[in-house]
Amino acid sequence: SQKIEQNSEALNIQEGKTATLTCNYTNYSPAYLQWYRQDPGRGPVFLLLIRENEKEKRKERLKVTFDTTLKQSLFHITASQPADSATYLCALDMQTGRRALTFGSGTRLQVQP
Amino acid sequence: DGGITQSPKYLFRKEGQNVTLSCEQNLNHDAMYWYRQDPGQGLRLIYYSQIVNDFQKGDIAEGYSVSREKKESFPLTVTSAQKNPTAFYLCASSIGQGATEAFFGQGTRLTVV
Protein backbone atom coordinates (compact mmCIF):
# COMPACT_ATOMS: atom_id res chain seq x y z
CA SER A 1 0.00 0.00 0.00
CA GLN A 2 1.05 3.60 -0.47
CA LYS A 3 2.67 5.05 2.58
CA ILE A 4 4.30 8.22 3.91
CA GLU A 5 6.59 7.83 6.90
CA GLN A 6 7.91 10.45 9.25
CA ASN A 7 9.81 9.80 12.44
CA SER A 8 7.16 9.55 15.13
CA GLU A 9 9.65 10.23 17.90
CA ALA A 10 10.10 13.85 18.89
CA LEU A 11 13.31 15.54 17.85
CA ASN A 12 14.98 17.54 20.61
CA ILE A 13 17.82 19.90 19.72
CA GLN A 14 19.63 22.85 21.22
CA GLU A 15 18.96 26.39 20.05
CA GLY A 16 21.28 27.40 17.23
CA LYS A 17 21.73 23.88 15.88
CA THR A 18 20.33 22.57 12.60
CA ALA A 19 17.23 20.40 12.80
CA THR A 20 16.81 17.74 10.13
CA LEU A 21 13.49 15.97 9.64
CA THR A 22 12.88 13.06 7.29
CA CYS A 23 9.96 12.09 5.09
CA ASN A 24 10.02 8.74 3.29
CA TYR A 25 7.40 7.45 0.92
CA THR A 26 6.75 4.18 -0.88
CA ASN A 27 4.93 2.90 -3.91
CA TYR A 28 4.30 6.10 -5.81
CA SER A 29 6.12 8.83 -7.66
CA PRO A 30 4.81 12.23 -6.59
CA ALA A 31 5.32 15.20 -8.87
CA TYR A 32 5.87 17.41 -5.84
CA LEU A 33 6.11 17.33 -2.08
CA GLN A 34 5.06 19.91 0.49
CA TRP A 35 6.03 20.67 4.08
CA TYR A 36 3.70 22.18 6.67
CA ARG A 37 4.07 23.40 10.23
CA GLN A 38 1.37 22.67 12.82
CA ASP A 39 1.15 24.21 16.27
CA PRO A 40 -0.95 22.50 18.99
CA GLY A 41 -4.67 22.96 18.47
CA ARG A 42 -4.26 24.81 15.19
CA GLY A 43 -4.41 24.04 11.49
CA PRO A 44 -1.26 23.33 9.49
CA VAL A 45 0.50 26.20 7.77
CA PHE A 46 2.25 25.78 4.42
CA LEU A 47 6.03 26.21 4.41
CA LEU A 48 7.61 24.93 1.21
CA LEU A 49 6.84 23.03 -1.97
CA ILE A 50 9.47 21.17 -3.99
CA ARG A 51 8.92 19.60 -7.39
CA GLU A 52 10.33 16.29 -8.59
CA ASN A 53 12.79 18.02 -10.92
CA GLU A 54 14.15 20.21 -8.10
CA LYS A 55 16.84 18.78 -5.86
CA GLU A 56 16.77 21.54 -3.29
CA LYS A 57 14.63 24.51 -2.28
CA ARG A 58 15.41 27.22 0.26
CA LYS A 59 13.37 29.83 2.10
CA GLU A 60 15.13 31.90 4.75
CA ARG A 61 16.38 29.37 7.37
CA LEU A 62 14.49 26.48 5.77
CA LYS A 63 15.87 24.03 3.24
CA VAL A 64 14.15 21.07 1.63
CA THR A 65 15.71 18.35 -0.49
CA PHE A 66 13.89 15.82 -2.64
CA ASP A 67 15.53 12.58 -3.73
CA THR A 68 13.15 10.69 -6.01
CA THR A 69 15.55 7.75 -6.24
CA LEU A 70 15.63 7.26 -2.49
CA LYS A 71 11.97 8.32 -2.23
CA GLN A 72 12.92 10.70 0.51
CA SER A 73 12.70 14.37 1.43
CA LEU A 74 14.78 16.07 4.10
CA PHE A 75 13.63 19.25 5.82
CA HIS A 76 16.29 21.37 7.50
CA ILE A 77 15.93 24.33 9.85
CA THR A 78 19.24 26.11 10.37
CA ALA A 79 20.05 28.26 13.39
CA SER A 80 17.00 26.82 15.13
CA GLN A 81 15.09 28.86 17.68
CA PRO A 82 12.65 27.87 20.45
CA ALA A 83 9.91 29.47 18.30
CA ASP A 84 10.55 26.73 15.72
CA SER A 85 9.15 24.16 18.15
CA ALA A 86 6.13 22.59 16.45
CA THR A 87 5.05 19.51 14.52
CA TYR A 88 6.18 19.37 10.91
CA LEU A 89 4.16 17.44 8.35
CA CYS A 90 5.10 16.35 4.87
CA ALA A 91 2.41 15.93 2.24
CA LEU A 92 2.24 14.41 -1.22
CA ASP A 93 -0.16 14.41 -4.10
CA MET A 94 -0.48 10.71 -4.79
CA GLN A 95 -1.47 11.35 -8.42
CA THR A 96 -3.67 8.29 -8.52
CA GLY A 97 -6.66 10.19 -9.84
CA ARG A 98 -7.47 11.53 -6.41
CA ARG A 99 -6.35 15.15 -6.35
CA ALA A 100 -5.89 15.79 -2.67
CA LEU A 101 -2.84 15.83 -0.44
CA THR A 102 -1.90 12.79 1.62
CA PHE A 103 -0.11 13.69 4.84
CA GLY A 104 2.48 11.94 6.95
CA SER A 105 1.92 11.66 10.69
CA GLY A 106 4.38 14.46 11.41
CA THR A 107 7.49 14.87 13.54
CA ARG A 108 7.43 17.03 16.66
CA LEU A 109 10.44 19.31 16.99
CA GLN A 110 11.43 20.75 20.36
CA VAL A 111 14.16 23.39 20.37
CA GLN A 112 15.69 23.90 23.80
CA PRO A 113 16.96 27.39 24.74
CA ASP B 1 -8.96 39.59 5.29
CA GLY B 2 -8.95 36.55 3.06
CA GLY B 3 -9.00 33.20 4.71
CA ILE B 4 -10.78 30.03 5.63
CA THR B 5 -13.05 29.93 8.66
CA GLN B 6 -14.26 26.94 10.59
CA SER B 7 -16.95 27.07 13.22
CA PRO B 8 -17.46 26.29 15.96
CA LYS B 9 -14.02 25.83 17.50
CA TYR B 10 -15.34 23.35 20.06
CA LEU B 11 -18.41 21.15 19.64
CA PHE B 12 -20.01 18.62 21.92
CA ARG B 13 -22.41 16.03 20.64
CA LYS B 14 -24.50 13.38 22.28
CA GLU B 15 -24.26 9.88 20.97
CA GLY B 16 -26.78 9.22 18.22
CA GLN B 17 -26.99 12.82 17.07
CA ASN B 18 -25.91 14.26 13.77
CA VAL B 19 -23.82 17.42 13.84
CA THR B 20 -22.67 19.80 11.08
CA LEU B 21 -19.31 21.53 11.00
CA SER B 22 -19.07 24.76 9.05
CA CYS B 23 -16.27 25.71 6.64
CA GLU B 24 -16.27 28.96 4.68
CA GLN B 25 -13.54 30.47 2.50
CA ASN B 26 -13.26 33.83 0.76
CA LEU B 27 -10.10 33.00 -1.17
CA ASN B 28 -12.02 32.20 -4.37
CA HIS B 29 -10.55 28.69 -4.30
CA ASP B 30 -12.12 25.96 -6.37
CA ALA B 31 -10.98 23.02 -4.24
CA MET B 32 -11.95 22.29 -0.66
CA TYR B 33 -11.10 19.41 1.66
CA TRP B 34 -12.02 17.88 5.01
CA TYR B 35 -9.45 16.05 7.11
CA ARG B 36 -9.67 14.33 10.45
CA GLN B 37 -6.77 14.30 12.93
CA ASP B 38 -6.55 12.04 15.97
CA PRO B 39 -4.03 12.61 18.79
CA GLY B 40 -0.47 11.98 17.68
CA GLN B 41 -1.55 11.14 14.16
CA GLY B 42 -1.46 12.77 10.79
CA LEU B 43 -4.36 14.07 8.75
CA ARG B 44 -6.72 11.60 7.12
CA LEU B 45 -8.85 12.68 4.18
CA ILE B 46 -12.62 12.45 4.65
CA TYR B 47 -14.05 14.18 1.57
CA TYR B 48 -12.86 16.62 -1.05
CA SER B 49 -14.43 18.79 -3.71
CA GLN B 50 -12.70 20.16 -6.78
CA ILE B 51 -15.66 22.17 -8.02
CA VAL B 52 -19.11 23.31 -6.99
CA ASN B 53 -21.78 20.59 -6.92
CA ASP B 54 -19.19 17.83 -7.06
CA PHE B 55 -17.33 15.98 -4.31
CA GLN B 56 -15.49 12.69 -3.82
CA LYS B 57 -14.90 10.34 -0.92
CA GLY B 58 -11.53 10.22 0.74
CA ASP B 59 -10.02 7.43 2.81
CA ILE B 60 -12.45 7.56 5.75
CA ALA B 61 -15.78 8.81 4.35
CA GLU B 62 -18.00 6.30 6.17
CA GLY B 63 -20.29 8.03 8.66
CA TYR B 64 -19.76 11.48 7.11
CA SER B 65 -21.56 13.52 4.46
CA VAL B 66 -20.82 16.79 2.68
CA SER B 67 -22.37 19.24 0.25
CA ARG B 68 -20.87 21.85 -2.06
CA GLU B 69 -23.72 24.08 -3.17
CA LYS B 70 -21.61 27.22 -3.13
CA LYS B 71 -17.97 27.80 -4.01
CA GLU B 72 -17.34 29.40 -0.62
CA SER B 73 -18.86 26.73 1.57
CA PHE B 74 -18.17 23.05 2.25
CA PRO B 75 -20.04 21.87 5.37
CA LEU B 76 -19.33 18.46 6.89
CA THR B 77 -22.02 16.46 8.67
CA VAL B 78 -20.90 13.85 11.18
CA THR B 79 -23.72 11.34 11.31
CA SER B 80 -24.69 8.89 14.02
CA ALA B 81 -23.23 6.17 11.80
CA GLN B 82 -19.71 7.42 12.56
CA LYS B 83 -18.60 5.07 15.34
CA ASN B 84 -15.76 7.12 16.76
CA PRO B 85 -16.39 10.77 15.93
CA THR B 86 -14.34 12.41 18.69
CA ALA B 87 -11.46 14.09 16.83
CA PHE B 88 -10.00 17.34 15.52
CA TYR B 89 -11.53 18.24 12.14
CA LEU B 90 -9.67 20.42 9.67
CA CYS B 91 -11.02 22.09 6.56
CA ALA B 92 -8.71 23.28 3.80
CA SER B 93 -8.90 24.93 0.41
CA SER B 94 -6.61 25.34 -2.56
CA ILE B 95 -6.71 27.11 -5.90
CA GLY B 96 -7.28 23.82 -7.66
CA GLN B 97 -5.55 20.70 -8.74
CA GLY B 98 -1.84 20.47 -9.09
CA ALA B 99 1.10 21.85 -7.20
CA THR B 100 -0.67 24.39 -5.05
CA GLU B 101 -0.52 24.93 -1.33
CA ALA B 102 -3.44 24.15 0.91
CA PHE B 103 -4.81 26.78 3.28
CA PHE B 104 -6.26 25.38 6.49
CA GLY B 105 -8.85 26.65 8.92
CA GLN B 106 -8.25 26.64 12.65
CA GLY B 107 -10.08 23.39 13.15
CA THR B 108 -13.12 22.17 15.08
CA ARG B 109 -12.63 19.86 18.04
CA LEU B 110 -15.61 17.54 18.27
CA THR B 111 -16.27 15.59 21.45
CA VAL B 112 -18.99 12.99 21.87
CA VAL B 113 -20.44 13.02 25.38
Side-chain angles (χ1 to χ4, degrees):
Chain A
S1 64
Q2 295 156 330
K3 210 172 184 181
I4 303 171
E5 293 182 342
Q6 295 186 255
N7 192 344
S8 59
E9 292 184 13
L11 177 63
N12 291 286
I13 64 169
Q14 288 297 121
E15 183 176 5
K17 300 293 186 183
T18 296
T20 298
L21 286 68
T22 305
C23 176
N24 295 297
Y25 58 93
T26 59
N27 298 339
Y28 45 82
S29 300
Y32 59 91
L33 184 148
Q34 301 184 25
W35 283 90
Y36 288 78
R37 169 184 172 140
Q38 186 176 25
D39 291 288
R42 302 181 71 91
V45 174
F46 172 80
L47 295 174
L48 281 167
L49 180 151
I50 185 165
R51 300 177 188 276
E52 61 179 340
N53 60 349
E54 297 174 315
K55 296 299 181 187
E56 182 180 297
K57 199 95 173 264
R58 292 176 185 262
K59 179 182 176 183
E60 298 173 350
R61 294 184 296 110
L62 309 180
K63 184 179 85 171
V64 172
T65 63
F66 193 11
D67 188 326
T68 55
T69 301
L70 292 178
K71 295 186 181 294
Q72 180 181 80
S73 174
L74 299 179
F75 177 80
H76 307 272
I77 305 176
T78 58
S80 60
Q81 305 166 0
D84 295 326
S85 299
T87 295
Y88 292 86
L89 304 162
C90 71
L92 302 172
D93 180 337
M94 290 164 54
Q95 295 205 316
T96 57
R98 186 183 84 175
R99 303 317 301 270
L101 292 173
T102 299
F103 284 82
S105 58
T107 298
R108 189 165 63 88
L109 172 66
Q110 188 70 39
V111 181
Q112 305 291 343
Chain B
D1 288 336
I4 181 164
T5 303
Q6 290 186 243
S7 61
K9 189 172 176 63
Y10 298 96
L11 189 57
F12 296 88
R13 188 195 92 173
K14 292 183 179 179
E15 283 193 32
Q17 287 182 338
N18 293 354
V19 64
T20 297
L21 282 60
S22 170
C23 179
E24 303 278 334
Q25 54 99 359
N26 60 4
L27 300 167
N28 199 33
H29 286 171
D30 285 317
M32 296 187 74
Y33 315 86
W34 275 104
Y35 289 91
R36 168 182 171 142
Q37 187 173 35
D38 293 285
Q41 297 190 32
L43 282 63
R44 291 185 290 166
L45 184 67
I46 305 173
Y47 269 97
Y48 66 105
S49 168
Q50 294 293 342
I51 197 167
V52 175
N53 292 323
D54 188 41
F55 50 83
Q56 285 77 42
K57 293 181 179 180
D59 297 318
I60 56 167
E62 185 176 352
Y64 300 98
S65 66
V66 294
S67 63
R68 187 81 187 279
E69 297 176 1
K70 298 187 299 181
K71 188 175 185 178
E72 306 79 34
S73 179
F74 192 39
L76 173 74
T77 297
V78 184
T79 74
S80 57
Q82 169 51 233
K83 298 304 179 190
N84 186 21
T86 295
F88 189 47
Y89 290 87
L90 287 158
C91 180
S93 70
S94 66
I95 291 174
Q97 298 182 15
T100 60
E101 65 183 276
F103 291 79
F104 282 85
Q106 291 302 297
T108 293
R109 189 166 300 279
L110 173 64
T111 303
V112 174
V113 296

